[in-house]
Amino acid sequence: MNKKILLFLVEGLSDKDALEPILSELVDSTKIHFEVLRCDLTASLDPEVRNLNMKQRITRVIKSFLENNHGIKKKHIEKIIFLSDSDGCYIDDSYIYFSENDISFRYEDDGIYTNRPNDAIDRNQRKSRNLNMIHSTAKVYALPIETYYFSCNLDHVLHNKRNLEQYLKENYAFDFADKYENKEEQFIDFVNDSSLCLANNYADTWTIIQEDRNSLLRFTNLKIFFDNNFEFLKDEAKERVVQYQGG
């Protein structure tokens, strides 16, 4: 393998199904690979990772990826792109409400509703700690890394459906990818919408998402990915990004 790749780490298969077809047409197709984690790595209590910090968790994922993809070596990875839901993890505990009929966590503008509020509090503490570590980290396993969020989750940002049932996620993901087929540059317009983007630089987006109830509301900092990885974009995508940079 001669070309280097951008390795995207995503939580679920629907994340890959929604984003990979679009990003593959915006980024040089030889420089992109999606790895589905099938878990929320920032909040996981799996025995294999529960005692690991976030850098160690990502390192474990990278090593596993390399073991399972024998044609790819560490030197081939240009950068790690970690995509994560915020899941309201930065809200104050007072915004977590007991709700007898909500077995899982239900996300609303004003808080998280669940019949397990202590579990939500513990999850938020764990998840926010791990997100803070990884978004402020420049390298993991000696590889550059950038972390981008969907708030309160990817379904919320892409489909405006915050509490989407699991069985519907795939259908919505395919529909979203189809929406941008042959007009992928319009996805750059989408993530640059002022209603979705809180700031114009990476550090500020992470500062603001931690304020008040922002991590429950509909925001993403994915627009920064296109600025930070301009060199890897195809010409058509570069032209669209430049429009938002005032070029």
Side-chain angles (χ1 to χ4, degrees):
M1 181 175 180
N2 297 320
K3 298 285 187 179
K4 290 194 173 184
I5 67 170
L6 298 177
L7 178 58
F8 285 77
L9 306 182
V10 296
E11 183 174 326
L13 185 59
S14 61
D15 301 4
K16 176 181 178 180
D17 291 339
L19 295 174
E20 186 178 46
I22 299 170
L23 292 175
S24 293
E25 294 299 321
L26 297 173
V27 176
D28 185 334
S29 61
T30 63
K31 287 191 169 83
I32 187 169
H33 185 98
F34 268 68
E35 181 73 357
V36 178
L37 303 176
R38 301 188 185 278
C39 72
D40 179 358
L41 199 63
T42 62
S44 177
L45 288 174
D46 186 291
E48 294 185 349
V49 300
R50 67 180 302 159
N51 293 322
L52 302 180
N53 65 36
M54 198 58 198
K55 293 181 185 178
Q56 294 167 330
R57 294 183 183 201
I58 295 286
T59 297
R60 186 175 180 275
V61 168
I62 297 169
K63 289 181 177 179
S64 176
F65 169 77
L66 293 173
E67 289 173 3
N68 294 323
N69 293 270
H70 300 297
I72 302 175
K73 299 184 182 298
K74 182 179 177 181
K75 66 181 181 179
H76 296 140
I77 300 177
E78 183 78 44
K79 188 181 296 185
I80 306 297
I81 307 296
F82 180 54
L83 305 183
S84 179
D85 296 338
S86 67
D87 288 329
C89 71
Y90 290 113
I91 63 172
D92 188 82
D93 293 349
S94 62
Y95 293 122
I96 298 175
Y97 305 107
F98 175 77
S99 176
E100 183 175 359
N101 295 324
D102 286 303
I103 298 173
S104 57
F105 301 160
R106 175 166 58 89
Y107 303 98
E108 303 294 348
D109 282 358
D110 62 341
I112 298 174
Y113 292 79
T114 177
N115 64 3
R116 300 177 288 115
N118 287 335
D119 287 352
I121 291 171
D122 290 343
R123 191 285 308 264
N124 279 6
Q125 291 175 349
R126 183 169 62 254
K127 184 178 179 74
S128 60
R129 180 176 63 249
N130 283 327
L131 270 179
N132 286 343
M133 173 180 284
I134 203 63
H135 83 70
S136 59
T137 295
K139 289 189 175 184
V140 171
Y141 195 42
L143 292 169
I145 186 169
E146 296 168 4
T147 302
Y148 299 96
Y149 60 76
F150 294 93
S151 182
C152 74
N153 53 39
L154 179 136
D155 300 325
H156 191 197
V157 171
L158 300 190
H159 322 307
N160 204 16
K161 302 286 185 181
R162 186 160 24 199
N163 298 292
L164 193 62
E165 294 287 347
Q166 187 64 41
Y167 74 94
L168 291 174
K169 288 178 178 285
E170 285 293 293
N171 291 338
Y172 273 88
F174 288 130
D175 288 346
F176 187 84
D178 288 346
K179 176 181 178 181
Y180 288 96
E181 186 175 6
N182 297 321
K183 46 186 177 182
E184 288 81 11
E185 291 80 14
Q186 292 183 15
F187 179 72
I188 297 174
D189 301 334
F190 175 77
V191 295
N192 273 275
D193 190 299
S194 59
S195 68
L196 292 180
C197 188
L198 289 167
N200 291 318
N201 71 74
Y202 184 81
D204 286 348
T205 64
W206 278 105
T207 297
I208 300 173
I209 196 64
Q210 297 178 49
E211 297 174 352
D212 196 30
R213 291 174 290 111
N214 285 345
S215 60
L216 280 173
L217 306 181
R218 190 172 180 237
F219 299 120
T220 181
N221 64 346
L222 193 59
K223 71 154 282 185
I224 309 298
F225 163 79
F226 294 102
D227 296 329
N228 287 352
N229 296 280
F230 188 84
E231 63 187 293
F232 303 123
L233 302 181
K234 294 183 178 180
D235 290 343
E236 297 85 352
K238 287 181 178 179
E239 291 175 3
R240 190 61 62 96
V241 171
V242 167
Q243 294 178 18
Y244 290 100
Q245 294 175 334

